[in-house]
Amino acid sequence: MKLIKFSAGSSLDEAYVKLQENAPCYGDFNDRILYSSDSLDEIFIKVTGKTKSEFDEHVRQEQEIYEKEKAEFKSSIPQLTVEYRKRARGIIPQEHLEYWDEIVPIRIEDMYRGMELDCWLDMISVLNDEGIPKEERMEKCLHLFSEQNHSGASASLVFCGLCKFHSLGPDLVDYICNNIG
């Protein structure tokens, strides 16, 4: 029996068709051995633990939940915009509030759904606390940053905002980059 290779990103439906076209054969799909003699349901069960119809129903339900959550979030954007603008007063320095107000709806609608807004406000609140030494503020912000679980893209976005919105932002970015574990 010959071994076939599936293209990266192949669906199970595509794998099944390829198995049938090359029968008798077998192939490795996500560390599961699939045979041309397997039925479509057997293939789905091997890889997903569900029959094809069960898997399709699961995907449909997940898509429905996603669309509902997306619609709910989209309808909350105007209120979130007001809340983020209000929350920034007293945290974001006055000279940056106009720019803050401009970017809030843009940041809320991006793929991170405004997560970086919370990150900036949390860390800038710490930077603003001149009652504690600068080094201690930097350490607290490093701890906050570590807890925020950033990807490379979100970290870069947070770093840019810190530099834009606070005079200690560049120092903090250097401190984080030099001390992150």
Side-chain angles (χ1 to χ4, degrees):
M1 192 178 293
K2 66 182 168 188
L3 169 67
I4 62 168
K5 300 242 185 236
F6 302 110
S7 301
S10 290
S11 69
L12 284 174
D13 291 311
E14 292 165 337
Y16 176 75
V17 168
K18 188 167 185 175
L19 286 164
Q20 298 310 301
E21 291 172 346
N22 292 283
C25 64
Y26 69 100
D28 181 332
F29 190 101
N30 291 355
D31 295 327
R32 302 290 194 282
I33 300 299
L34 307 180
Y35 297 92
S36 55
S37 59
D38 291 337
S39 71
L40 184 58
D41 277 341
E42 288 170 329
I43 286 173
F44 268 84
I45 290 169
K46 281 182 178 181
V47 176
T48 71
K50 300 175 184 334
T51 65
K52 169 138 174 67
S53 61
E54 290 168 342
F55 180 79
D56 288 347
E57 178 61 17
H58 174 76
V59 168
R60 187 196 63 72
Q61 288 173 353
E62 290 294 316
Q63 185 65 28
E64 209 173 85
I65 290 167
Y66 170 77
E67 292 299 331
K68 182 182 177 193
E69 288 173 353
K70 185 174 152 185
E72 288 171 358
F73 181 78
K74 191 158 183 71
S75 71
S76 72
I77 290 174
Q79 181 60 35
L80 286 171
T81 299
V82 169
E83 290 170 12
Y84 276 113
R85 287 175 175 164
K86 183 178 179 181
R87 201 170 135 211
R89 275 39 190 184
I91 298 174
I92 300 295
Q94 184 66 37
E95 66 267 20
H96 300 299
L97 283 175
E98 185 177 331
Y99 182 69
W100 175 269
D101 289 348
E102 181 183 325
I103 68 163
V104 163
I106 296 165
R107 301 280 25 112
I108 291 172
E109 291 192 52
D110 80 353
M111 70 181 204
Y112 295 116
R113 294 184 168 185
M115 172 273 304
E116 70 281 1
L117 298 169
D118 289 314
C119 297
W120 291 330
L121 291 171
D122 291 346
M123 286 193 272
I124 292 171
S125 292
V126 172
L127 291 177
N128 287 341
D129 186 356
E130 294 179 1
I132 57 176
K134 179 182 173 185
E135 182 68 25
E136 191 175 325
R137 287 183 272 165
M138 296 290 170
E139 184 60 35
K140 283 185 175 188
C141 286
L142 173 63
H143 181 72
L144 283 171
F145 182 83
S146 295
E147 288 179 340
Q148 293 166 350
N149 296 317
H150 291 286
S151 66
S154 68
S156 178
L157 185 59
V158 169
F159 289 164
C160 288
L162 289 170
C163 292
K164 171 69 179 171
F165 293 121
H166 201 279
S167 61
L168 290 177
D171 292 343
L172 176 57
V173 170
D174 286 343
Y175 184 84
I176 290 170
C177 289
N178 291 324
N179 292 284
I180 199 78

